[in-house]
Amino acid sequence: MSTPTVSTKLRQIAEQAVCYPDRVFMTLAHLIDVDFLREAHRRTKKSSAPGIDKVTAKDYAANLDENLRDLHERMRSGRYKAPPVERTWLEKEDGSLRPIGKPTFEDKVVQRAVAMLLSAIYEQDFHDFSHGFREGHSQHLALKELREQCMRMNIGWLVDADVRGFFDSIDHNWLRKVLRKRVNDGSIIRLIGKWLNAGVMEDGKRTYPETGTPQGGVISPLLANIFLHEVLDDWFVRDVLPRMQGRCFLIRFADDFIIGCELESDARRLMDVLPKRFARFNLTIHPKKTKMVAFGKPNRGTGSNPEPRSRSGNSTFDFLGFTHYWARSRRGYWVIMRRTAKKRVRRACRALWQWCHDQMHQPLQWQYRKLCQKLQGHYQYYGIRGNYRLMERVYQLAKRAWRRWLSRRSTKGIIWEKFERLLEAHPLPRPRIIHQV
């Protein structure tokens, strides 16, 4: 729990943001004192890898009070310098590489402190259909609202949009302009500027990207939400909805968003105007990955589980790792169902197979515990109604992979009967439905 002083500060800021929605906050930095930094430290994740200074969360906490006092003095006097972010690369599904940033732990604490202040203000401005990286919101809430809105509004068409390299493409000048509409505290703006210009350290070389938010930074998701609130969310509510002929909705999680339209004409108008709107802020809507999907309730087809097609014969669509499609319920009604997207199933199976290969010489109990954690993590996200069969596929693959690579530990191998006895003593968790969304 937050300390009373910090909680009071944040509550007062939030109340002012609600009462004065047009107010520009000019003085915020003075609220960040040692107690505020201590609360920011408490909220900062401790298990992440250290940055370029190699100082871990445990190292920093060994002399926490002195470190926080020194940090506060450097921030108060303007002497705080944002260190560069260490960059590593992670291979994506399509074979391309995704950059991963590792800020220093102290920098994460400072970013968390600023994020706490900004969140108290912007959480009052954000719309309820924005679900990414917000307290009280989640992917599953976004999935639930998407399903309910499609069925309630009789949605016939969807705009499935993709912003090309969003987090790496945010224009710094535009971001500052957007921030100053609500927060124009010079110290806070300078701090954010330091993070934007801190640079990236890779193989001993420091580079300075001209666009994008701090990689791996605590504050990056919030800055992205603030930017997209201006670029998309507020524009959609203020300018788009009043001009639509039929009903329409927007669901967004970070830079992934779906716009649903009752009428085809409205969807086509949005397909025309979206690239222009994003181009104004130096962002690009991917021309090939952005598409208009016919997704009306089917008016033909028989059986309890027909092919997942819409009335216009168009395809399903993927959002937040799930493929969405129309199917008959057990009572014979048309409902929207979700199943794990094919590429997510392939990725999970490939990762489990590779993990079992890499860890086959580890102690059996350790392997069992870790494999259970991986399967439970998969079920925790994908365990929604109607998706049991594809979770079962991942479970069966995990069993085969574990047996395959355990059998390679000796020349004798492991026959299925022996492996089944092992599973009786060490049962892997079976799939289960966790989310009724």
Side-chain angles (χ1 to χ4, degrees), residues 152-362:
R152 182 174 61 86
M153 294 187 180
N154 193 30
I155 293 300
W157 298 84
L158 294 169
V159 176
D160 183 4
D162 182 89
V163 185
R164 179 180 284 169
F166 171 71
F167 284 92
D168 297 327
S169 304
I170 295 179
D171 186 277
H172 291 175
N173 290 328
W174 267 115
L175 178 58
R176 291 188 182 94
K177 290 178 183 178
V178 170
L179 285 167
R180 288 194 177 103
K181 287 186 175 183
R182 198 69 159 121
V183 175
N184 199 17
D185 183 312
S187 297
I188 298 295
I189 297 297
R190 281 193 294 273
L191 265 177
I192 293 174
K194 289 179 180 180
W195 291 319
L196 295 176
N197 298 315
V200 175
M201 188 70 72
E202 184 178 4
D203 297 330
K205 296 181 180 179
R206 189 171 181 175
T207 57
Y208 297 89
E210 296 181 357
T211 59
T213 55
Q215 290 181 0
V218 172
I219 202 167
S220 291
L222 177 59
L223 293 179
N225 270 337
I226 293 171
F227 198 58
L228 278 177
H229 175 76
E230 173 73 18
V231 176
L232 179 63
D233 300 355
D234 228 28
W235 167 76
F236 180 81
V237 172
R238 183 184 65 248
D239 297 333
V240 174
L241 280 179
R243 292 174 169 82
M244 295 291 99
Q245 300 300 311
R247 289 177 291 184
C248 191
F249 73 84
L250 167 66
I251 298 290
R252 181 173 68 82
F253 190 93
D255 60 328
D256 293 330
F257 64 94
I258 294 285
I259 301 178
C261 298
E262 187 176 13
L263 303 178
E264 180 181 358
S265 58
D266 288 340
R268 294 198 180 279
R269 290 175 64 189
L270 281 167
M271 286 290 289
D272 290 337
V273 75
L274 268 177
K276 299 174 185 176
R277 174 65 182 179
F278 277 75
R280 179 184 173 187
F281 294 87
N282 296 332
L283 295 172
T284 303
I285 295 291
H286 201 295
K288 294 183 178 179
K289 294 183 180 180
T290 300
K291 57 184 180 295
M292 196 171 77
V293 180
F295 197 69
K297 183 185 295 185
N299 56 11
R300 62 179 181 271
T302 59
S304 61
N305 190 24
E307 287 299 313
R309 293 174 179 269
S310 71
R311 65 169 165 236
S312 300
N314 208 329
S315 63
T316 60
F317 71 96
D318 290 351
F319 184 61
L320 297 181
F322 291 90
T323 298
H324 301 247
Y325 62 97
W326 284 97
R328 294 273 192 187
S329 68
R330 291 182 178 179
R331 296 184 178 181
Y333 300 111
W334 284 109
V335 295
I336 296 174
M337 303 291 288
R338 284 74 51 88
R339 64 187 180 216
T340 310
K342 290 181 179 179
K343 65 179 181 180
R344 294 293 185 96
V345 175
R346 290 195 299 268
R347 184 172 70 184
C349 291
R350 184 164 60 247
L352 284 169
W353 190 273
Q354 187 63 44
W355 184 87
C356 289
H357 167 269
D358 295 341
Q359 310 299 332
M360 65 178 177
H361 294 297
Q362 295 291 340

